[in-house]
């Protein structure tokens, strides 16, 4: 079950790179993720929560801009894989399975990046513009991230 949750948080990172670590940091800070005493214990600190929350909000805002590069360009794709692997590893650390969580999170990030790009493109065509598609993607990423973190508890 832990690997499935790590894979799913990776998918969230593929949709929104910074939403996944923000959700994990909030979960750790609220005590939903038992990371105290592991290498990921810093995720439960309020400073970490603040940093990732600010980065997630900045990403949500900048993703609505017409100049935002595609998530498939190497830098964007790589960042999403790194965030998926990182957040998957944090979830894996709650059960002593850091490496397995890291791998599952990275795979999930690839799935979320490629699948999310295709879905967003189709939604943008259906709506006639990108903003509604982006807002739907934002809502799905935020809600899913929080539900996944809550499921670990």
């Amino acid at each position: 079950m832990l690997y499935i949750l790590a894979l799913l948080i990776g998918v969230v990172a593929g949709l929104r790179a910074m939403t996944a670590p923000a959700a994990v940091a909030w979960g750790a800070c609220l005590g939903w993720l038992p990371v105290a005493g592991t290498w990921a214990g810093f995720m439960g600190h309020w400073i970490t929560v603040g940093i990732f929350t600010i980065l997630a909000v900045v990403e949500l805002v900048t993703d609505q801009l017409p100049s935002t590069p595609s998530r498939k360009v190497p830098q964007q794709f790589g960042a999403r894989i790194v965030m998926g692997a990182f957040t998957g590893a944090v979830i894996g650390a709650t059960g002593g399975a850091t490496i397995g969580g890291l791998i599952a999170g990275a795979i999930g990030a690839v799935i979320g990046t490629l699948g999310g790009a295709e879905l967003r493109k189709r939604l943008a065509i259906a709506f006639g513009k990108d903003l509604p598609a982006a807002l739907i993607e934002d809502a799905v990423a935020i809600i899913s991230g929080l539900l996944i973190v809550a499921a670990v508890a």
Side-chain angles (χ1 to χ4, degrees):
M1 181 66 164
L2 205 56
Y3 294 127
I4 292 171
L5 294 172
L7 177 86
L8 291 174
I9 201 71
V11 171
V12 171
L15 293 173
R16 288 283 174 261
M18 301 315 293
T19 297
V24 168
W26 274 102
C29 187
L30 294 172
W32 298 350
L33 291 177
V35 294
T38 71
W39 66 270
F42 71 96
M43 289 298 285
H45 197 278
W46 65 270
I47 293 175
T48 307
V49 171
I51 290 169
F52 280 125
T53 300
I54 290 168
L55 290 173
V57 169
V58 168
E59 180 186 29
L60 292 175
V61 171
T62 59
D63 189 58
Q64 317 309 319
L65 303 175
S67 61
T68 302
S70 166
R71 71 182 74 203
K72 292 183 182 178
V73 298
Q75 298 86 351
Q76 294 277 342
F77 195 39
R80 291 171 190 275
I81 292 171
V82 168
M83 284 295 110
F86 170 69
T87 54
V90 171
I91 287 183
T94 65
T98 299
I99 300 299
L102 182 140
I103 293 168
I107 292 169
V110 171
I111 293 167
T113 300
L114 298 178
E118 183 61 30
L119 180 61
R120 182 166 171 177
K121 181 175 79 174
R122 289 179 187 215
L123 284 172
I125 290 169
F127 286 117
K129 52 187 168 180
D130 189 51
L131 184 60
L135 295 174
I136 290 169
E137 186 179 38
D138 294 345
V140 167
I142 292 166
I143 293 167
S144 299
L146 293 174
L147 289 174
I148 291 163
V149 170
V152 175

